[in-house]
């Protein structure tokens, strides 16, 4: 699917994650900022990539600022940002959950 607009989900509060998604042209381009990137960076990226693949998004710029979010929070924020970027927020695709 094609990203219709740049979108953001999440906050910069402790135990949360902020994800910004915008159009890209060279596959998935990640910019991850996290104090725990060395330990959990690949897992964070994999969770977000799984959500993007579910929506058939293969070209996007993904800016991530992690503040210690658990995996379920990462997934929830990723689903939210994708649905906002695809302009589906009013009609969410519940089967992805």
């Amino acid at each position: 699917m094609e990203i219709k607009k740049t979108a953001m989900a999440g906050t910069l509060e402790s135990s949360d994650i902020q994800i910004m998604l915008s159009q890209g042209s060279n596959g998935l381009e990640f910019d991850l900022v996290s104090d725990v990137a060395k330990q959990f960076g690949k897992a964070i990226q994999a969770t977000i990539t799984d959500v993007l693949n579910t929506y058939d998004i293969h070209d996007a710029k993904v800016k991530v600022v992690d503040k210690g979010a658990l995996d379920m929070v990462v997934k929830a924020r990723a689903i939210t940002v994708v649905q906002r970027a695809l302009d589906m927020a009013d009609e969410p695709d519940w089967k992805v959950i």
Side-chain angles (χ1 to χ4, degrees):
M1 297 187 109
E2 184 179 331
I3 294 173
K4 295 181 181 178
K5 61 183 179 181
T6 299
M8 186 177 351
T11 69
L12 297 176
E13 298 292 321
S14 180
S15 300
D16 202 353
I17 189 167
Q18 187 176 72
I19 304 172
M20 185 182 335
L21 187 64
S22 57
Q23 285 185 329
S25 58
N26 296 324
L28 298 178
E29 303 173 51
F30 278 87
D31 179 11
L32 173 65
V33 177
S34 175
D35 290 340
V36 295
K38 200 172 234 185
Q39 297 94 338
F40 301 108
K42 288 182 182 180
I44 293 168
Q45 187 171 332
T47 299
I48 295 169
T49 300
D50 287 345
V51 172
L52 294 173
N53 287 337
T54 300
Y55 284 93
D56 200 30
I57 296 173
H58 303 290
D59 291 310
K61 294 180 183 175
V62 186
K63 167 79 172 152
V64 181
V65 181
D66 173 57
K67 296 294 183 175
L70 298 174
D71 192 54
M72 65 189 123
V73 176
V74 176
K75 184 174 181 179
R77 296 301 191 191
I79 291 169
T80 301
V81 76
V82 167
Q83 291 188 351
R84 288 178 180 170
L86 297 176
D87 208 17
M88 298 173 61
D90 293 334
E91 300 173 14
D93 184 4
W94 294 108
K95 66 181 171 225
V96 300
I97 298 174

